[in-house]
Amino acid sequence: MNIHILEMPIDFGASRHGSDMGPSAIRLAGIKQRIESLGHHTERYFSPMQINPQEYEEIGNPKAKYLDAIVKANNQLATEVEKAVLQDGFPLILGGDHSIALGSIAGLSAAYQKKGLRLGVLYVDAHGDFNTAETSPSGNIHGECMAANCGYGLPELTNLYFEGRKLDPKNLCYVGLRSIDPEERKLMKEAGVTAFTMSDIERLGFCEVVKHILRFFRRKVDAIHVSFDMDCLDPMYAPGTGYQLPAGMTNREALLLMEEMADCGLVRSAEIVEVNPVLDVRNQTATLAVELAARLLGEKIY
């Protein structure tokens, strides 16, 4: 495959800074070399983002902080993602905070509408990111991005890159959830998303949950985007994230999930977000991010 690696060094969408250095940490952990060792070609490797550092931007709306800068950066990302897909490439986006899902999914949606294909998203995250400006306790846009992609929230976000929703919420599947705000939960249920929480994983077993996920996508979509937030992992395995919550996925579960998604043959793009080197220990979270990307791109143990 031709892999288009797009770095998005942005942490405007989160309260805790440092994830803007995540792409550099993943690069230093050897992602380009690892991908090429699997027989893939790195078609491009650059950052499409051209905005000022956070210290030079205005917070603006306290319920949607740094809205203008985030919209500008994500429009730039969406342009490059759409271009990669229309060239039959595989966009691999490295964050940055999870607000970059606005640009990645907008670009994918635009491209797949032109191709006449149905897009689905596997959202691997401890959080729902399904708040709006009205429900968000923090005003951080990384917690509003999936609601906006599904057509809920501020028009600046719901109409980013092109007018209208980017994703049918019935083609959105979460796994690894363990922290959802009350109003966010209501909106997720109203929208009709599918969600597997950590309680579901404990109750059913991880392999059974993965089988449900694969059945879900095979019935519904033609192409899958994997959006992987490193805070879905237990901090024991991924200490370098801005929102460390106990009782998360193990590294073995996450690696298995990536292998199974690769084997289903429908994954056409991915993003890995919320690597925060400031909080990491010997770059182990970034190193694990490289392992996850490699499994998703076909690496096998044996």
Side-chain angles (χ1 to χ4, degrees):
M1 283 191 293
N2 289 329
I3 313 295
H4 296 243
I5 302 178
L6 303 171
E7 294 191 357
M8 287 297 289
I10 184 171
D11 63 359
F12 286 69
S15 294
R16 180 168 280 179
H17 302 314
S19 61
D20 59 326
M21 294 183 279
S24 296
I26 297 171
R27 187 184 341 115
L28 290 171
I31 193 163
K32 183 176 184 290
Q33 296 86 341
R34 189 66 166 275
I35 287 171
E36 292 177 345
S37 75
L38 298 172
H40 301 300
H41 173 65
T42 49
E43 184 76 16
R44 296 186 297 167
Y45 196 136
F46 75 108
S47 174
M49 196 177 83
Q50 297 178 24
I51 60 172
N52 294 323
Q54 188 177 115
E55 291 76 14
Y56 296 92
E57 295 285 354
E58 296 295 325
I59 290 178
N61 182 353
K63 298 299 287 180
K65 299 172 184 173
Y66 298 105
L67 177 64
D68 291 346
I70 288 172
V71 167
K72 182 178 179 182
N74 277 289
N75 274 311
Q76 293 165 359
L77 174 60
T79 300
E80 297 302 329
V81 168
E82 181 182 11
K83 188 186 301 181
V85 174
L86 293 177
Q87 294 171 358
D88 294 323
F90 185 110
L92 176 60
I93 306 115
L94 309 178
D97 68 64
H98 222 154
S99 67
I100 68 169
L102 290 161
S104 60
I105 294 173
L108 293 168
S109 181
Y112 287 124
Q113 284 184 32
K114 290 176 180 176
K115 289 189 168 204
L117 299 176
R118 298 166 298 170
L119 172 66
V121 174
L122 176 64
Y123 208 74
V124 192
D125 201 330
H127 308 90
D129 295 348
F130 220 85
N131 274 300
T132 66
E134 288 72 35
T135 67
S136 173
S138 66
N140 293 329
I141 289 178
H142 74 157
E144 303 175 18
C145 58
M146 286 314 294
N149 278 324
C150 292
Y152 301 91
L154 295 173
E156 294 92 335
L157 299 179
T158 59
N159 294 324
L160 187 142
Y161 197 55
F162 66 87
E163 189 172 343
R165 77 177 185 185
K166 311 307 182 285
L167 179 70
D168 184 341
K170 292 182 173 55
N171 293 340
L172 170 60
C173 183
Y174 287 88
V175 64
L177 292 170
R178 60 190 191 278
S179 177
I180 310 174
D181 298 315
E183 292 302 313
E184 177 183 35
R185 184 185 299 110
K186 288 180 185 177
L187 187 56
M188 290 171 73
K189 290 185 175 182
E190 175 189 319
V193 306
T194 295
F196 295 98
T197 68
M198 289 308 301
S199 295
D200 293 322
I201 289 171
E202 187 67 20
R203 187 179 298 113
L204 299 173
F206 193 73
C207 288
E208 191 62 29
V209 167
V210 172
K211 288 178 185 177
H212 282 297
I213 292 169
L214 293 174
R215 281 195 293 267
F216 172 87
F217 285 117
R218 284 173 178 145
R219 288 198 317 266
K220 290 175 171 283
V221 306
D222 304 302
I224 300 171
H225 174 64
V226 175
S227 187
F228 197 105
D229 190 319
M230 295 300 287
D231 72 15
C232 75
L233 293 148
D234 192 278
M236 178 187 301
Y237 306 102
T241 65
Y243 296 86
Q244 299 174 352
L245 293 172
M249 279 190 206
T250 68
N251 52 357
R252 291 183 297 177
E253 289 170 337
L255 290 165
L256 173 63
L257 176 62
M258 294 299 97
E259 276 195 34
E260 292 294 316
M261 294 307 297
D263 286 346
C264 84
L266 294 175
V267 177
R268 298 288 181 268
S269 57
E271 63 198 344
I272 301 175
V273 304
E274 300 287 1
V275 172
N276 190 327
V278 174
L279 304 171
D280 208 0
V281 179
R282 296 186 297 277
N283 214 31
Q284 72 181 74
T285 306
T287 300
L288 179 53
V290 172
E291 296 287 336
L292 291 164
R295 297 291 180 92
L296 188 61
L297 292 170
E299 184 176 85
K300 301 286 187 184
I301 297 173
Y302 183 70

